[in-house]
Amino acid sequence: MFVTFEGGEGTGKSTQALILADNLKKIGIDVVLTREPGGSPGAELIRNLLVTGSVDRWSTMSEVLLMYAARADHWQNTIKPALDAGKWVLCDRFADSTVAYQGYGRGVNKGFLQLLYLHIVGDIEPNFTFVFDLDVSVGLKRANSRMSGDAIVEGRFEAMDIAFHERLRAGFLEIVKKNPKRCTLIDANLHPREVHRLILRVLQEKGALSWGNPPV
Ligand SMILES: Nc1ncnc2c1ncn2[C@@H]1O[C@H](COP(=O)(O)OP(=O)(O)O)[C@@H](O)[C@H]1O
Ligand SMILES: [Mg+2]
C-alpha cells in the first residue's frame, strides 16, 4: 500500500504520517515512513540543495529537475523495493507537491511534469493521497513555530511569498478535484486526533484496513 501526505507548509502532514506509521506498526503492519524531497541517502543530499539557501537559488526548471533527480533515487532505492516486498510506504510529500509547487506555484507545464512522472516513476500512483488544506497564514505560522535548530536552515520554501502559497493551496484543491478516487481532502483545522480518525476511516472504508481492532 502506497500512501502519500500532501498540502502546504505547516498543515500537519508530518504529524499525521508519523501517527499513522506508529499505529500501523502496533497492529503488525510492516511500514516504511519516508519523505520527499529525500528518503534515500542520495535524495537526502539533493534535498539539502533544494530546501536551504536563498529563495531564488534555483531557476524553476533546475528546481523541477533536482526534485525529479531526488525522486528517481528515492523511488529506485526506497519506495519501489518496499512496495515490492509488500510493505506499506507512507510518504510525506510526493509528486503532487511538484505539480503544486512547480506547476501551479511557478508555472511549469503540467504535461511536462506528467511526462517526467511517467518516465521516472511509471504507470503507478499512490493508493491513497491525503491532501491537507488550511488557511495559508495559519499554516505558515504553525510551520514557523515548529522551526528550530536544523529546521531553521530548511526554510527556503516557507520563505516564498504569500501569493505563491495561495497558488499552492488552490493547486492542491485542483489536484483533489482531478483525482477524486485517489485523493481525500483533509480539513487541517481539526484536532490531530480527529484527523487521524478520518484517515483511518478512509483506509477502512476503501478496504485497505479491516474494521476490526482499529489502531487508534
Ligand atoms: N491538526 C493540528 N492542529 C494544530 N496544530 C497542529 C496540527 N497538526 C500539526 N500541528 C502542529 O503544527 C506544526 C506543523 O505540523 P507538521 O506536521 O510539521 O506540518 P507539515 O509537515 O505539514 O509542514 C507542528 O508544530 C505540529 O505540532
Ligand atoms: Mg513536514
Side-chain angles (χ1 to χ4, degrees):
M1 212 52 71
F2 183 24
V3 183
T4 58
F5 298 78
E6 298 278 11
E9 313 294 339
T11 54
K13 302 177 296 297
S14 303
T15 301
Q16 291 300 323
L18 184 62
I19 295 174
L20 183 62
D22 284 348
N23 283 322
L24 291 176
K25 283 177 196 163
K26 278 185 200 151
I27 56 167
I29 292 176
D30 213 344
V31 180
V32 173
L33 174 59
T34 187
R35 67 168 180 183
E36 287 208 348
S40 61
E44 287 288 331
L45 292 173
I46 301 170
R47 174 191 178 90
N48 196 42
L49 297 174
L50 280 161
V51 300
T52 65
S54 66
V55 163
D56 58 1
R57 179 178 189 183
W58 302 110
S59 74
T60 304
M61 203 43 86
S62 300
E63 199 169 274
V64 167
L65 295 172
L66 282 168
M67 285 290 178
Y68 262 97
R71 183 160 301 135
D73 193 82
H74 184 213
W75 182 261
Q76 210 55 44
N77 294 308
T78 303
I79 301 179
K80 187 169 186 302
L83 293 176
D84 287 347
K87 296 178 185 174
W88 281 54
V89 174
L90 309 188
C91 194
D92 185 349
R93 290 196 183 284
F94 190 58
D96 292 319
S97 281
T98 312
V99 174
Y101 280 69
Q102 284 75 42
Y104 288 97
R106 300 187 74 174
V108 175
N109 182 284
K110 293 180 197 71
F112 175 64
L113 296 178
Q114 181 66 18
L115 211 59
L116 281 171
Y117 186 95
L118 282 172
H119 279 272
I120 290 163
V121 177
D123 190 14
I124 172 172
E125 285 194 319
N127 300 92
F128 298 93
T129 297
F130 296 99
V131 179
F132 290 66
D133 182 60
L134 185 63
D135 185 87
V136 166
S137 59
V138 176
L140 288 173
K141 230 178 261 161
R142 281 193 197 166
N144 286 331
S145 70
R146 173 199 61 199
M147 280 202 227
S148 62
D150 284 354
I152 283 177
V153 299
E154 283 210 342
R156 187 172 157 260
F157 286 100
E158 284 88 338
M160 292 180 182
D161 62 37
I162 293 289
F164 173 80
H165 290 282
E166 294 287 1
R167 290 198 297 280
L168 281 190
R169 185 184 187 194
F172 277 120
L173 293 175
E174 278 294 305
I175 289 169
V176 174
K177 256 194 214 156
K178 287 183 177 166
N179 301 275
K181 271 200 176 145
R182 172 170 66 86
C183 295
T184 304
L185 189 65
I186 298 281
D187 176 357
N189 289 297
L190 297 172
H191 189 280
R193 200 184 322 112
E194 287 306 311
V195 175
H196 178 58
R197 285 212 184 109
L198 250 167
I199 289 173
L200 285 181
R201 206 165 69 217
V202 170
L203 295 173
Q204 287 167 332
E205 276 172 1
K206 297 194 177 169
L209 278 182
S210 69
W211 285 95
N213 306 314
V216 185

